[in-house]
Amino acid sequence: VDEQQANPQNLAYLKDRIAVFSGQPQRYGTAYDWDEEGLLSPQLYDDLALVNRRRKALGLQPLDKHTQLMRAQAEKENQSPPLDFAARKQAYAAWRREVGWIE
């Protein structure tokens, strides 16, 4: 990215995935999953104002607008939340431990 050979948005997505997998807040709000209320929502992020500033600097939409688009796309694709949220959360944590993202 510093040498202008890669898209900064790709780096933002990568940094967010690494943060989410390792249990840290994301900086750009690019990682989504179903929440306890059955809504597709951004996973843990730090400060909304900072997230939106970072997103704007990369040419990304504000987080609330992007969330609306993500939810509309999920609905269009007939995606639905997990039937057992607790089981999904446990399986996700187990996977993260198994592959070494968390202890």
Side-chain angles (χ1 to χ4, degrees):
V1 170
D2 289 342
E3 297 172 7
Q4 298 179 337
Q5 295 180 13
N7 184 332
Q9 290 181 3
N10 293 343
L11 182 57
Y13 277 84
L14 178 60
K15 284 184 174 189
D16 278 357
R17 290 311 171 283
I18 291 169
V20 167
F21 288 157
S22 60
Q24 302 299 314
Q26 50 180 333
R27 296 177 46 84
Y28 300 92
T30 62
Y32 282 73
D33 199 3
W34 300 100
D35 65 19
E36 297 92 350
E37 293 151 17
L39 296 172
L40 190 60
S41 298
Q43 292 184 284
L44 178 66
Y45 53 86
D46 57 6
D47 177 86
L48 181 58
L50 290 175
V51 167
N52 279 328
R53 260 186 263 162
R54 292 180 198 123
R55 291 177 66 84
K56 185 176 183 178
L58 296 179
L60 298 170
Q61 299 172 319
L63 192 56
D64 61 341
K65 182 158 178 76
H66 187 67
T67 298
Q68 291 173 356
L69 293 173
M70 292 290 289
R71 289 175 178 169
Q73 185 67 29
E75 186 176 331
K76 180 180 175 185
E77 294 174 359
N78 294 318
Q79 295 180 31
S80 58
L83 297 176
D84 186 338
F85 181 79
R88 177 186 169 103
K89 194 172 179 179
Q90 287 178 339
Y92 178 61
W95 172 82
R96 289 171 47 221
R97 274 191 297 282
E98 181 182 327
V99 298
W101 283 110
I102 60 173
E103 293 184 19

